[in-house]
Amino acid sequence: MRRIDNKEIFSKHGIKNTKQRNVILDILKNTDSPITAEEIFIRSQDSNVNMNFSTVYRILNTFVLKDIAIKTSIGEDDKNLYELNMEEHSHYLICLSCKKMIKIGHCPLEEYESQIQRNTKFRIIGHKLEIHGYCPECIEEDMHENKN
Amino acid sequence: MRRIDNKEIFSKHGIKNTKQRNVILDILKNTDSPITAEEIFIRSQDSNVNMNFSTVYRILNTFVLKDIAIKTSIGEDDKNLYELNMEEHSHYLICLSCKKMIKIGHCPLEEYESQIQRNTKFRIIGHKLEIHGYCPECIEEDMHENKN
DNA sequence: GTGGGTGCAAAGGGTTTGCAGCAAG
DNA sequence: CTTGCTGCAAACCCTTTGCACCCAC
C-alpha cells in the first residue's frame, strides 16, 4: 500500500510541516482502528518529539477540518475517537465486551442511500454504521466463567 | 398508538414512581428524535415539578440501565442524546446543516448482519446507523445565499 | 418507618483557549 | 522576518458524586 508523504499532505492543505504533526499523522497511519486523543498522546511519547495534550487536540482538530482525519463518537464511553480519512469507505464491527474493533470491508448501503435520496429529497453525503456484538474470544471466555 | 402507563413501567423495573421520573418519561415519550439532557431539563421547567440537573442525569442513567431509554452519541457536538427505547428498530437521517433528524422506518441490515455473523463468528447484538446529508430546506436556503 | 430518590454544591474528566515564546516558510 | 504553531496553565462544559434531607412504598 502506497502511502502519500506527510510533507505532501501538509503542503496540499496549506498547513506547516511540524514535528508534532508528523508524529501524529504517523500514529494515525499506523493504527487500523480509531483511537482516542489520549492514546495518541501516549504513543507520541515513544518519539523523541516534545508533545503536549493541547497540541494533540489542536492538531487533531486541524486534521479533521482539513479532512485528513475523521472524528467519530463511536465508543461507549464518551471519548472521541480519531482515524485517518481513507477514501475507501469502511465500517466497524465492535465487541461490546473487549471493545475490539474490526474493520468491515464491503458496505451494503449504497443502493439503500440512493433509494432514500429519491424518497426524501435529502442530498445524502455519507453515513456512519457500527455493528455491535460479542467477538468469538469474549463469547468463549464468558462460557468458561459461567461454568464456575 | 397505545402508550404503556408510566407507573406500570416503573414498577416493572422495580424503581420508584417519582414526580421527576414521570416528567422525564413524558418528555421522552413526546419527542420523536433523540434529545440532550439539557433539552430535557429545559422542557421539564414547563411542568410544576421541581427538577435539578443532576436529577435529570441520574434519571436518564437509570432509564438507560433499565433499558427504558437509549443513550446515543450521534450528534456532531459532543453531547449525548437520549431517546425512548422502542422495540421497533429505527435509524435516523441527519441534516448536517440544521441538525434535524428524521426517523427512517425500514432497516436494510438484517440479512447483512446474519451474513457477518456467519463470516466472523461474532454474536451480533445490534447496530447503529446514521445517514448524513442535507435536507431539502437547507439545500434551498444554500442556493439562495449563493445567489448574492 | 426505611431505603431509595432528590437537591445542592463541589469535583471530575475530556476538550478548548489565551498568551507568550518558538520555529517553519 | 513573519505568521503560524506549540507549551503551559487555566478555563470550559458536560456529567458525576457526596451528603443531607425527603418522600414513595
Side-chain angles (χ1 to χ4, degrees):
Chain A
M1 169 179 177
R2 183 179 115 67
R3 296 228 144 132
I4 302 169
D5 192 48
N6 289 356
K7 206 170 166 177
E8 203 176 316
I9 294 180
F10 297 142
S11 73
K12 186 173 74 180
H13 289 98
I15 60 178
K16 284 187 179 168
N17 174 22
T18 69
K19 289 185 229 121
Q20 290 82 352
R21 283 184 180 148
N22 270 284
V23 170
I24 292 185
L25 188 48
D26 285 339
I27 291 171
L28 288 175
K29 279 181 172 177
N30 289 319
T31 183
D32 52 346
S33 59
I35 52 179
T36 60
E38 188 185 12
E39 179 63 27
I40 291 172
F41 177 73
I42 292 169
R43 294 195 197 175
S44 76
Q45 309 296 29
D46 294 347
S47 74
N48 52 352
V49 172
N50 198 10
M51 183 77 74
N52 189 279
F53 236 116
S54 52
T55 304
V56 173
Y57 279 112
R58 263 191 290 232
I59 290 177
L60 287 173
N61 285 341
T62 304
F63 283 4
V64 169
L65 201 67
K66 298 292 186 182
D67 283 326
I68 298 169
I70 297 171
K71 178 177 174 180
T72 73
S73 42
I74 271 179
E76 295 313 296
D77 40 0
D78 302 329
K79 299 181 192 173
N80 291 313
L81 299 178
Y82 298 86
E83 65 181 314
L84 222 52
N85 183 12
M86 306 300 208
E87 331 60 41
E88 42 139 347
H89 172 96
S90 69
H91 299 303
Y92 292 94
L93 181 56
I94 303 164
C95 177
L96 292 167
S97 172
C98 67
K99 308 295 179 194
K100 153 177 31 191
M101 300 173 72
I102 291 171
K103 194 175 278 194
I104 304 171
H106 168 71
C107 168
L109 291 164
E110 268 94 35
E111 168 50 28
Y112 184 57
E113 279 192 356
S114 56
Q115 180 190 323
I116 288 189
Q117 189 146 328
R118 283 194 302 275
N119 293 346
T120 64
K121 307 280 184 254
F122 260 62
R123 185 194 305 144
I124 306 294
I125 300 297
H127 59 254
K128 212 159 33 170
L129 169 65
E130 311 156 31
I131 301 190
H132 301 266
Y134 293 98
C135 70
E137 291 77 20
C138 287
I139 293 172
E140 179 126 343
E141 240 173 64
D142 189 48
M143 286 193 325
H144 289 158
E145 272 172 25
N146 289 342
K147 272 188 188 160
N148 304 342
Chain B
M1 169 181 177
R2 183 178 114 68
R3 299 226 141 136
I4 302 168
D5 191 48
N6 289 357
K7 205 167 168 180
E8 203 177 318
I9 294 181
F10 297 143
S11 73
K12 186 172 73 177
H13 289 97
I15 61 178
K16 282 186 181 169
N17 173 23
T18 69
K19 289 186 229 119
Q20 289 83 350
R21 284 184 180 148
N22 270 286
V23 170
I24 292 185
L25 187 48
D26 284 339
I27 291 171
L28 288 175
K29 279 181 172 177
N30 289 318
T31 182
D32 52 348
S33 58
I35 52 178
T36 60
E38 188 185 11
E39 179 63 28
I40 290 171
F41 177 72
I42 292 169
R43 294 194 197 174
S44 76
Q45 309 296 31
D46 294 347
S47 74
N48 53 351
V49 173
N50 198 11
M51 183 78 73
N52 189 278
F53 236 116
S54 53
T55 304
V56 173
Y57 279 111
R58 264 192 289 234
I59 289 178
L60 287 173
N61 285 341
T62 304
F63 282 5
V64 169
L65 201 67
K66 298 291 185 184
D67 285 325
I68 297 169
I70 297 171
K71 178 178 176 179
T72 75
S73 42
I74 270 178
E76 295 311 298
D77 41 0
D78 302 331
K79 298 184 196 171
N80 292 312
L81 299 179
Y82 298 85
E83 66 182 313
L84 222 52
N85 183 13
M86 306 299 209
E87 331 61 40
E88 41 141 346
H89 173 96
S90 69
H91 299 303
Y92 292 94
L93 182 55
I94 303 164
C95 177
L96 292 167
S97 173
C98 66
K99 309 294 176 192
K100 153 178 32 192
M101 301 171 74
I102 291 170
K103 195 174 278 196
I104 303 170
H106 167 72
C107 168
L109 292 164
E110 267 96 34
E111 168 50 28
Y112 184 57
E113 280 192 354
S114 57
Q115 180 188 322
I116 289 190
Q117 188 144 329
R118 282 194 301 276
N119 294 344
T120 65
K121 307 281 184 253
F122 260 63
R123 185 194 304 145
I124 307 294
I125 301 298
H127 58 256
K128 211 156 43 172
L129 169 65
E130 310 157 29
I131 299 189
H132 301 266
Y134 293 98
C135 70
E137 291 78 19
C138 286
I139 294 173
E140 181 126 340
E141 240 173 63
D142 190 48
M143 286 192 328
H144 289 159
E145 273 172 23
N146 289 340
K147 271 187 191 158
N148 304 342

